[in-house]
Amino acid sequence: MTPVEAVPVGRLDVVGAWSVRTVDDLADVRADLESRLPCDCAPARVGPSGELGGLSGRQRMVLVASELVANALEHARPPVVARLLCDGQVAVVDVVDRSPEAPPVVPHDREPGEGGHGLRLAKTIADEVGWYRTDRGEKHVWARFADADRAPATAPASVASGGAYRGV
C-alpha cells in the first residue's frame, strides 16, 4: 500500500527546517522540532489522547517526523531535509529526499519487531499522510496534523512543482 500521491493544500509557513545526514542527527532534530512547537498551531496544543497511547499533539508530530526521517535515511540518498510547516490550524511535517523514483510503501508482510513500520505508524497517528515528486528531483513525504474541526485537504500531485508554501 502506498500513501496518497497528493500535495497538502494551504498557505503554510515554514517554521523550521533541518538537514539530516545520519541517524545520529535525529536526536537533535527531535529536540529542535519540539522546541518550535506549538508554533501557534492548534494541532500541537492538543492534549494527550487515550486513542493514541496517551500522546499529545506535540509528541505525535515529533514521533512521526522521526519515523519519516528515519525512513528517508534508510531508503534515499542523504542529506534528507525535514521541515515543519504551519498555518495556525494545520501543521505538516514534510520530509524531502532525492529519490523521487522510489514511492513510499507501507509493507504488509512484516511482523512487529522486524522494522519497516514507520509509515504505518504515521498513517495511524497523523490525520493524513501523503507524498509527491517535484520537477527538481525531490520526493516529499508528508504528514498532516489538523485542528479537530478541519477536514483533510489535499490536491492532486500534479501541482507539486508549483508549491503552495510560503517561506520556501
Side-chain angles (χ1 to χ4, degrees), residues 7-68:
V7 177
V9 174
R11 300 297 298 174
L12 301 166
D13 291 314
V14 177
V15 176
W18 303 269
S19 181
V20 185
R21 293 193 170 278
T22 69
V23 179
D24 294 336
D25 297 335
L26 270 176
D28 293 335
V29 171
R30 283 190 294 260
D32 197 34
L33 175 59
E34 186 150 9
S35 76
R36 291 178 188 259
L37 293 167
C39 71
D40 295 324
C41 192
R45 292 190 299 268
V46 172
S49 167
E51 295 174 7
L52 298 171
L55 297 175
S56 69
R58 233 172 151 159
Q59 292 168 322
R60 290 171 46 213
M61 285 186 232
V62 171
L63 177 59
V64 168
S66 182
E67 291 294 331
L68 295 181

Side-chain angles (χ1 to χ4, degrees), residues 60-152:
R60 290 171 46 213
M61 285 186 232
V62 171
L63 177 59
V64 168
S66 182
E67 291 294 331
L68 295 181
V69 169
N71 283 350
L73 288 171
E74 183 175 341
H75 300 290
R77 297 179 305 274
V80 170
V81 175
R83 303 185 312 158
L84 174 62
L85 311 165
C86 188
D87 72 357
Q89 298 302 311
V90 172
V92 172
V93 171
D94 180 39
V95 177
V96 186
D97 68 47
R98 286 159 192 78
S99 296
E101 69 284 351
V105 176
V106 178
H108 295 302
D109 57 349
R110 294 208 181 128
E111 295 295 322
E114 289 183 1
H117 297 284
L119 277 173
R120 182 175 288 123
L121 179 70
K123 288 175 71 84
T124 300
I125 293 176
D127 293 308
E128 191 173 16
V129 176
W131 75 287
Y132 64 94
R133 303 168 222 230
T134 71
D135 55 5
R136 295 182 306 264
E138 299 171 331
K139 175 178 69 207
H140 290 248
V141 179
W142 53 267
R144 183 175 178 274
F145 300 86
D147 183 330
D149 298 330
R150 303 263 309 241

